[in-house]
Amino acid sequence: MNDIHTTADDLTRTRSYSWADPQALAEAGLEMSGLEYIRGIMDGTLPHPPICETLGYRITAADEGRVTFSIEPREFHYNPIRVLHGGIAATLIDSATGCAIHTTLPAGGNYLTTNLNTDYLRPLTEATGEVSCTGIVVHRGRRTAISTAEL
């Protein structure tokens, strides 16, 4: 659920949403391959992680080594100069690249981000409309993996 309310004076907005227990989601993933897990989140068999509910983005495609997330920039994503906060874009990139790697893991496998480098070329606003971010695995070794993304 994601409701946005504006007061009569139009100066204050509120937003409410709900999320599923992240521990239960993580435990469900222990019995599934990485690709099955990510696809389960995408198709609704498993709940979305809390970060997806907080920021309002979703997995829209998932194959081994490749995951796409989509988001529609909204006012609640804005920084003080009325554009999508760069941290939102970085979070989307981190999610897409991490989940792309996750799709290559066996049941019970895990990963963590060790480095994130982002270059911003133009601002995103509500007028931009829905944008997608696709993460692609470039290299996967036994202990490290490298993935890239474009938003």
Side-chain angles (χ1 to χ4, degrees):
M1 184 170 125
N2 191 356
D3 296 318
I4 300 172
H5 305 281
T6 304
T7 62
D9 64 11
D10 235 7
L11 296 177
T12 303
R13 288 133 170 100
T14 61
R15 178 174 173 250
S16 62
Y17 60 96
S18 57
W19 62 93
D21 176 6
Q23 181 64 36
L25 176 61
E27 288 173 7
L30 294 176
E31 304 300 319
M32 309 169 87
S33 73
L35 181 57
E36 291 170 326
Y37 185 61
I38 297 300
R39 284 183 172 167
I41 294 169
M42 180 180 74
D43 70 20
T45 305
L46 296 171
H48 292 95
I51 190 67
C52 290
E53 300 298 347
T54 300
L55 298 180
Y57 64 97
R58 297 282 184 262
I59 301 170
T60 54
D63 292 302
E64 187 167 335
R66 184 183 188 98
V67 173
T68 300
F69 281 85
S70 294
I71 191 169
E72 187 172 331
R74 304 282 303 272
E75 185 180 66
F76 61 83
H77 295 129
Y78 281 0
N79 63 18
I81 60 171
R82 200 165 160 73
V83 298
L84 183 115
H85 189 280
I88 304 292
T91 299
L92 202 63
I93 291 165
D94 186 43
S95 294
T97 55
C99 287
I101 290 169
H102 198 97
T103 64
T104 69
L105 299 177
N110 59 32
Y111 67 94
L112 61 91
T113 301
T114 59
N115 186 38
L116 177 68
N117 183 30
T118 306
D119 294 315
Y120 301 99
L121 301 178
R122 60 183 158 274
L124 298 172
T125 68
E126 286 183 291
T128 305
E130 185 176 84
V131 294
S132 295
C133 180
T134 300
I136 300 169
V137 174
V138 177
H139 165 78
R140 185 173 174 299
R142 287 185 316 115
R143 299 195 60 196
T144 61
I146 298 170
S147 54
T148 186
E150 189 170 316
L151 178 69

